[in-house]
Amino acid sequence: MISVILMGFVTVAAVFFLIETGKASKTAAAEIVMSKAWSSRFARQTLEEKKEEFLEGNAKYHTVPEKKAAKKVKEWDKQISAYQKTEEQYLSGKKFSLLDLIPLPGYQLLADMKLDGDSELLRKLTGSCEHTGYVELERSQETGGKKNSAIYAYYLLASLIAFTYVGVLLAFFVGVVTIAAGNEMGGVVLPMAVCFAGSALYGYIPYDNLRSKAEKRQEEIDLGFPNAISKIALLVTAGMNIVKAIEETARSDDSLMCRELRLTLKEMNQGATVQGAFLRLQCRCNNKYLDKMVTIVTKSYVSGNANLASDLKGINDECWLDKKHNARRMGEKIQNKLFVPTMLMFVGILVVIVVPAMSGFNL
């Protein structure tokens, strides 16, 4: 009886899945192809960054033997070439697998739920896309009149929904098969859980990776910006031109904030306007004090700002005060996490001391 009910549910759910797939627009299919190409490009860029970081670190510290390092780099180069080939195949229209069709009903379900760019969830996800540092997903980048970051965010969310749905379908189908085979409860539930988890994870991992990358970059920016703004404010107060002050700060170390400032200066030297270069910097880096600095700097270019040094000093003071509060909050969180282990250690010490003492007393 249970197997019949499950089979009926699977049939209805599969029919609904096919109907939603058929209702999906051609635009959704085009966005899937584009997003898959971007996914390969982002994976390639991440590997290239990892390879560069490894080579620089190994050249400096010699942690890995030369032969082993060369082998590792060769493997990475092979993967990078594979990602590049996949990206080119998607962009040229030569690649579109059955697996790529699965997000289509996710697009349609989002449309049915009227979940668009105005929703809080998609706004946050689009922001995460913009803050990953990928050039293709910067706020100014558009394809067909739609922001690339919004296209990719929609694809990630549609994939997550669709693969979770497929996971449920697979789980119940496997449940029917295992029940029909005469397996007991343990032999039914475990394969169902594996099928559901595997499919849901396949859709969730790209979504989680992007959000994690954006959060990690934000943490690095938040950590490095107070030092950067301090140097800029100090140099401007000493009488240095703002652009020269930013150049000196950008060259001062190799933190993420300084690398982003160097990229901004490079864009300005290549003909980008000051406003455009700093807007791209804001898009890549999510920090409210950076936004204030950019507003002040661009305003000084347009209409001049006699109080530029004092304004930068004000941002510096606010930024460092906020950093102190964040450090205090982090310390309190760590202290709360350490409370239980500390109490367990205290009880263990009491046992070590009290038990021998009581044993001696009884003797």
Side-chain angles (χ1 to χ4, degrees):
M1 183 65 182
I2 296 175
S3 61
V4 173
I5 294 172
L6 289 178
M7 197 61 203
F9 174 82
V10 170
T11 304
V12 171
V15 169
F16 176 75
F17 185 84
L18 292 173
I19 291 171
E20 291 294 286
T21 302
K23 285 166 63 179
S25 65
K26 291 180 180 179
T27 304
E31 289 185 3
I32 289 172
V33 172
M34 196 175 302
S35 298
K36 291 292 288 184
W38 287 339
S39 295
S40 297
R41 188 179 302 177
F42 300 153
R44 173 174 58 82
Q45 290 173 357
T46 302
L47 261 184
E48 286 172 346
E49 290 172 7
K50 190 176 179 181
K51 186 181 81 170
E52 274 184 37
E53 187 179 342
F54 169 76
L55 288 173
E56 287 176 9
N58 199 51
K60 191 174 182 180
Y61 300 109
H62 302 287
T63 52
V64 179
E66 191 174 335
K67 192 174 180 180
K68 192 174 180 181
K71 185 179 178 183
K72 199 169 188 178
V73 169
K74 189 177 179 181
E75 289 175 1
W76 279 336
D77 286 336
K78 190 176 179 181
Q79 291 177 40
I80 288 167
S81 298
Y83 282 128
Q84 188 168 7
K85 185 179 178 182
T86 304
E87 178 194 344
E88 290 169 357
Q89 286 176 335
Y90 273 113
L91 290 176
S92 63
K94 294 178 182 178
K95 186 176 177 67
F96 193 80
S97 64
L98 187 62
L99 204 62
D100 297 331
L101 286 171
I102 292 178
L104 279 174
Y107 276 84
Q108 189 56 41
L109 283 169
L110 287 173
D112 293 342
M113 292 187 292
K114 295 183 172 23
L115 199 67
D116 54 21
D118 294 330
S119 69
E120 185 67 20
L121 177 61
L122 270 170
R123 272 207 307 269
K124 285 183 178 179
L125 188 54
T126 301
S128 295
C129 290
E130 292 171 350
H131 299 141
T132 54
Y134 296 129
V135 174
E136 292 80 3
L137 302 182
E138 288 180 359
R139 198 171 297 152
S140 58
Q141 301 294 324
E142 291 186 356
T143 300
K146 189 175 179 181
K147 288 198 299 183
N148 288 359
S149 53
I151 292 172
Y152 199 64
Y154 216 83
Y155 163 73
L156 289 175
L157 193 55
S159 294
L160 176 60
I161 292 170
F163 278 103
T164 303
Y165 190 95
V166 168
V168 173
L169 275 177
L170 284 174
F172 281 104
F173 179 75
V174 169
V176 171
V177 173
T178 50
I179 289 171
N183 291 352
E184 295 181 356
M185 186 60 69
V188 173
V189 173
L190 184 60
M192 289 178 69
V194 169
C195 287
F196 172 74
S199 182
L201 276 173
Y202 188 86
Y204 179 73
I205 286 172
Y207 176 92
D208 184 63
N209 284 345
L210 182 131
R211 291 179 68 243
S212 298
K213 183 175 176 62
E215 288 171 6
K216 185 181 176 183
R217 274 179 57 88
Q218 183 175 351
E219 287 174 5
E220 289 187 53
I221 293 294
D222 291 344
L223 189 65
F225 184 73
N227 295 323
I229 189 64
S230 293
K231 293 172 186 175
I232 293 170
L234 181 64
L235 292 170
V236 171
T237 304
M240 188 177 285
N241 177 277
I242 181 63
V243 175
K244 188 66 177 173
I246 292 173
E247 285 178 3
E248 291 293 328
T249 303
R251 287 199 297 263
S252 62
D253 62 57
D254 199 42
S255 65
L256 178 59
M257 188 68 248
C258 288
R259 293 200 301 272
E260 290 294 339
L261 288 174
R262 287 200 293 271
L263 180 57
T264 302
L265 293 167
K266 182 181 177 182
E267 290 174 356
M268 289 166 62
N269 292 332
Q270 290 175 345
T273 62
V274 174
Q275 291 86 347
F278 277 107
L279 179 64
R280 285 164 64 87
L281 175 66
Q282 277 182 289
C283 177
R284 294 191 302 269
C285 308
N286 183 24
N287 183 282
K288 60 181 179 180
Y289 298 110
L290 174 64
D291 293 343
K292 288 183 180 180
M293 187 197 82
V294 168
T295 302
I296 289 170
V297 171
T298 51
K299 182 183 175 183
S300 71
Y301 268 92
V302 175
S303 56
N305 186 359
N307 301 317
L308 179 60
S310 60
D311 288 344
L312 290 173
K313 188 177 181 301
I315 295 173
N316 177 55
D317 293 341
E318 286 181 47
C319 187
W320 277 101
L321 185 62
D322 192 33
K323 187 172 182 178
K324 288 177 185 176
H325 290 323
N326 286 337
R328 190 179 295 114
R329 284 192 290 268
M330 288 295 293
E332 288 171 359
K333 285 182 182 178
I334 292 170
Q335 189 176 4
N336 292 335
K337 288 179 181 179
L338 289 174
F339 178 75
V340 173
T342 304
M343 289 304 297
L344 290 173
M345 287 174 64
F346 179 68
V347 171
I349 291 168
L350 282 180
V351 170
V352 169
I353 294 171
V354 171
V355 170
M358 293 299 292
S359 300
F361 180 77
N362 289 336
L363 288 172

